[in-house]
Amino acid sequence: MTVAVEGPEETGTDAPDPPPRTARRPGRPLVVAAILVLWLLLFAVLRGRHTLSLAAADLTDLHRWFNDVNDSIGADRNSNPLFLYFFNEIRLVIDTLVTFVQELISQPGAGRPVPHIGWLGVVGLTGYVSWAVGNWRVALLAVAGFTFLGLQGLWQESMDTLALTLSAVLVALLLAIPLGVWAGLSDRVHRIVTPFLDFMQTMPTFVYLAPLTLFFLIGPASATIATLIYAAPPAVRITAHAIRSVPTATVEAADSLGATRRQTLTKVLLPMSARTVVMGVNQTIMAALAMVTVAALIDAPGLGKTVVQALQSLDVGTAFNAGLAIVVMAIVLDRVTTAASARQEAARHAHGRTAAWRRPLLGGGAAVTAVLVYLSHTYVWAAEFPGEGGVGSAISRGADTVTTWAQDHLSGLTNAFRDALTTGLLNPFQTLLTDSPWWLVGAALVALGAVLGGRRAGVTTAVCVGLLVGTGLWSDSMTTLASTVVATVLVMVLGIVLGVWMGRSALVDRLLRPTLDAAQVMPPFVYLVPFLALFGATRFTAIVAAVVYAAPVAVKIVADGVRNVPAATVEAATSAGCTTWQIVTKVQLPMARSALTLATNQGLIYVLSMVVVGGLVGAGALGYDVVAGFSQGQLYGKGLAAGLAIVLLGVMFDRITQAAARRTSA
């Protein structure tokens, strides 16, 4: 007998349909690898075609047009109403402010052979202000630091740098803090302002200089305007963040008590956000100091000019002495503003109460400071720093001695390291970028942008590539791109190694973080000096300096990302028998992917700005084009186009990495 097996129709029951089989989409790493392989294959066939190379002395129609615009603006500067009643007036106001501050502390005043406040008064004022807003330890540091500037023989140069920095910071804060408060109170203003702040903070320092000289000429006024534009975004962003971070319940409580909007702002929002706002002032001062030194390229006086002249003549000793002075000033200004922020927080918790003994001491200190200012205004011995700068001469000689010793005894090691990295990594990658057809590189960049960052990042990359071609500096842009990518890879290797170490060890974090914080304070010029001594004037010098300059921010971001991995997850992996290597590579780093992408974003931006500054020490490419545009009138248009190309590279890098960070954190 045969038994029939009933199907679903026969039994009357409905069996679920099997899920449809869908083709598995390849992962992003596989797609990226496929793009790179295809690029290499086409490069082997098409190498050397359509590379859009341009000789150093050649100009395109765009460059000549920029030159013509510069010439016509120069001819119409004193007749065009836009310049007569707008740009020239702005320049006059800023120039008047800078001249006033310079005559106050650095340059001979009207009818005087010395400034109105000499070195003794400046040191006294610095110590008193540092004590008043901070504490006695910071005051001692400030007095010692400023005295050291004089012992280096760089008092006037240091005061010129301080004068430009203070002028720029004053104007920047007058504009930035109200705008930051407005952005903190209004969502609409915040949405409008944020893209502009993002754009301004991705632009390397060099980029601000060329366009501003077009409207404000070369000199201290243009340097100050460039500095305040560069330094304002941190204050706007941090002030807005501080206002928005005030607890909503506190604001609602003030509203329920009948406080007006003005009372809520002045009695609640600003007092509760004072510490964060002061930290924004700190960041503005640090950005201004960094920009003032770079602005020496457009004839800004001060320490930056000394460093630039020394770098151009390869005088390591003089560059090191001036660079050390910049570091000392940066540390003093950073410590003072940081202490001021801490005091604001302490005062808020103490509800504005101060120790009974502090006010009488501050009054006595003010009297002593007034006497020192009077003496420095009246007597030459208290106005001109005594001595011939013997300490600075000794530092310069010591730096030259160390440089000579390093070149005699370490050249084999340093040259081997330089040659290995240059021939093994930099040259092949640069050849791939510069010898491939421009359309092939552009297609590869657009594809990589779309895969890593999404459709919008791909569109942005396509626009940037098209505009890069339009600048006429495609080959130089690719050379800068190669140096930037290689340096960023090294930054991320260093960032992951040290960041994981710091993230896993509280002791290592306590030991390394102060050094990283101090490294972020130093302006970019300073990093070029020691590596110029070790490696000479080559593009490798700029790359190594860029790695050291960008590494601190990447290390700290990676460390914070690793530390934020839930402890329970790490403990579960440990209890499952995972080794330390497995925990790091299989748990902590994968869970910190968004932090790694953010570190890459910040590393790229820092590296790009430093690689361009490296044009002063033989890095070539876009950095050299910008510097040459300042020094040679016929190349001004090319330098302006190079600045535009740097902006495009920065925007492209920033959009791709930010979009990738959002995708990895989603």
Side-chain angles (χ1 to χ4, degrees):
M1 184 176 69
T2 304
V3 179
V5 179
E6 297 180 350
E9 293 81 3
E10 295 173 342
T11 60
T13 61
D14 294 330
D17 295 331
R21 294 185 178 181
T22 58
R24 186 177 180 181
R25 297 179 63 182
R28 279 199 293 269
L30 186 60
V31 176
V32 169
I35 293 171
L36 295 178
V37 169
L38 181 60
W39 183 3
L40 290 172
L41 291 175
L42 292 176
F43 167 74
V45 177
L46 302 171
R47 180 175 181 175
R49 303 179 188 176
H50 309 121
T51 57
L52 300 182
S53 58
L54 186 71
D58 290 345
L59 301 176
T60 66
D61 291 339
L62 177 65
H63 306 160
R64 296 187 185 92
W65 183 77
F66 281 150
N67 284 339
D68 293 339
V69 170
N70 184 37
D71 294 339
S72 63
I73 287 178
D76 299 338
R77 188 176 301 277
N78 296 320
S79 59
N80 189 309
L82 184 62
F83 281 88
L84 283 176
Y85 303 110
F86 185 69
F87 292 117
N88 289 357
E89 291 297 321
I90 292 176
R91 185 175 186 274
L92 178 62
V93 171
I94 297 298
D95 195 44
T96 301
L97 174 63
V98 173
T99 301
F100 170 76
V101 179
Q102 283 183 308
E103 291 182 351
L104 196 65
I105 63 174
S106 65
Q107 298 287 344
R112 291 172 54 86
V114 292
H116 289 285
I117 303 178
W119 77 271
L120 190 61
V122 171
V123 170
L125 278 171
T126 302
Y128 178 73
V129 171
S130 301
W131 179 37
V133 303
N135 53 62
W136 64 270
R137 296 183 184 85
V138 174
L140 287 179
L141 173 66
V143 169
F146 272 58
T147 304
F148 182 72
L149 297 176
L151 295 174
Q152 288 182 275
L154 296 170
W155 180 259
Q156 182 170 331
E157 292 86 346
S158 301
M159 291 304 100
D160 279 329
T161 296
L162 182 63
L164 264 65
T165 301
L166 292 179
S167 302
V169 168
L170 175 62
V171 179
L173 294 180
L174 286 176
L175 299 174
I177 290 183
L179 182 58
V181 171
W182 193 14
L185 296 174
S186 170
D187 291 337
R188 178 181 297 176
V189 174
H190 188 263
R191 287 194 301 269
I192 294 172
V193 167
T194 298
F196 290 99
L197 298 178
D198 292 340
F199 178 72
M200 292 172 70
Q201 290 192 292
T202 59
M203 292 171 62
T205 52
F206 263 25
V207 175
Y208 289 89
L209 302 182
L212 289 173
T213 59
L214 190 65
F215 298 103
F216 300 105
L217 297 177
I218 288 176
S222 292
T224 305
I225 294 170
T227 300
L228 70 90
I229 292 174
Y230 180 73
V236 176
R237 190 186 295 275
I238 294 175
T239 301
H241 171 72
I243 296 295
R244 289 176 167 270
S245 298
V246 174
T248 306
T250 305
V251 179
E252 292 174 351
D255 291 339
S256 66
L257 293 174
T260 63
R261 290 196 58 167
R262 182 171 183 174
Q263 290 173 327
T264 302
L265 175 63
T266 57
K267 303 295 185 182
V268 178
L269 293 174
L270 288 179
M272 294 190 68
S273 59
R275 183 191 181 190
T276 307
V277 172
V278 174
M279 289 305 298
V281 174
N282 170 278
Q283 294 299 303
T284 298
I285 291 174
M286 293 299 101
L289 181 60
M291 186 65 187
V292 161
T293 55
V294 174
L297 292 169
I298 57 172
D299 203 30
L303 296 169
K305 178 175 285 190
T306 305
V307 174
V308 169
Q309 292 173 347
L311 290 175
Q312 290 175 337
S313 61
L314 303 182
D315 185 353
V316 176
T318 301
F320 182 82
N321 187 43
L324 180 61
I326 295 172
V327 172
V328 170
M329 184 175 291
I331 290 174
V332 169
L333 295 177
D334 178 63
R335 291 299 94 196
V336 170
T337 49
T338 302
S341 174
R343 176 164 288 280
Q344 284 287 339
E345 183 68 10
R348 188 171 73 85
H349 287 300
H351 303 290
R353 297 190 301 271
T354 58
W357 51 266
R358 182 171 172 81
R359 287 186 179 178
L361 284 180
L362 285 175
V368 172
T369 303
V371 171
L372 295 178
V373 171
Y374 171 77
L375 291 174
S376 70
H377 179 77
T378 308
Y379 299 100
V380 175
W381 63 267
E384 294 181 345
F385 200 93
E388 301 295 331
V391 173
S393 299
I395 291 173
S396 297
R397 289 194 301 271
D400 286 333
T401 301
V402 172
T403 299
T404 302
W405 181 88
Q407 291 173 346
D408 291 341
H409 295 84
L410 300 178
S411 59
L413 180 62
T414 56
N415 290 344
F417 176 63
R418 179 192 65 196
D419 295 342
L421 190 61
T422 301
T423 58
L425 183 60
L426 179 59
N427 285 348
F429 187 51
Q430 181 173 316
T431 300
L432 177 64
L433 288 170
T434 57
D435 287 3
S436 293
W438 68 267
W439 52 265
L440 176 59
V441 178
L445 291 175
V446 171
L448 291 173
V451 171
L452 296 175
R455 183 180 301 173
R456 289 186 178 180
V459 172
T460 302
T461 304
V463 173
C464 290
V465 167
L467 293 176
L468 280 173
V469 174
T471 63
L473 296 171
W474 176 262
S475 183
D476 284 354
S477 299
M478 293 302 100
T479 301
T480 298
L481 175 61
S483 298
T484 302
V485 172
V486 169
T488 304
V489 170
L490 298 177
V491 166
M492 289 309 299
V493 170
L494 195 60
I496 290 174
V497 171
L498 294 180
V500 169
W501 195 18
M502 287 175 61
R504 291 178 55 84
S505 172
L507 175 62
V508 174
D509 187 272
R510 285 196 299 270
L511 292 175
L512 290 184
R513 192 168 288 269
T515 303
L516 299 177
D517 292 339
Q520 283 191 273
V521 169
M522 293 190 291
F525 265 12
V526 176
Y527 289 89
L528 292 175
V529 178
F531 298 109
L532 177 65
L534 285 175
F535 301 106
T538 65
R539 57 181 175 162
F540 184 76
T541 300
I543 291 175
V544 176
V547 171
V548 177
Y549 176 63
V553 65
V555 170
K556 291 200 292 186
I557 292 174
V558 173
D560 292 340
V562 170
R563 190 179 300 108
N564 290 333
V565 173
T569 305
V570 178
E571 291 172 359
T574 304
S575 63
C578 293
T579 63
T580 301
W581 175 256
Q582 290 173 326
I583 292 174
V584 171
T585 57
K586 303 296 184 182
V587 178
Q588 290 177 313
L589 287 180
M591 295 189 69
R593 280 181 300 178
S594 60
L596 294 177
T597 311
L598 179 60
T600 304
N601 171 274
Q602 293 299 297
L604 273 169
I605 300 304
Y606 275 66
V607 163
L608 180 61
S609 64
M610 190 64 190
V611 165
V612 174
V613 174
L616 293 169
V617 292
L622 295 178
Y624 172 80
D625 293 333
V626 173
V627 175
F630 292 132
S631 57
Q632 303 176 44
Q634 71 274 16
L635 295 180
Y636 176 85
K638 192 172 186 178
L640 196 60
L644 175 60
I646 294 166
V647 173
L648 294 171
L649 288 176
V651 170
M652 184 171 66
F653 288 148
D654 183 63
R655 290 298 174 264
I656 292 175
T657 51
Q658 280 200 23
R662 288 193 295 268
R663 295 183 73 177
T664 54
S665 61

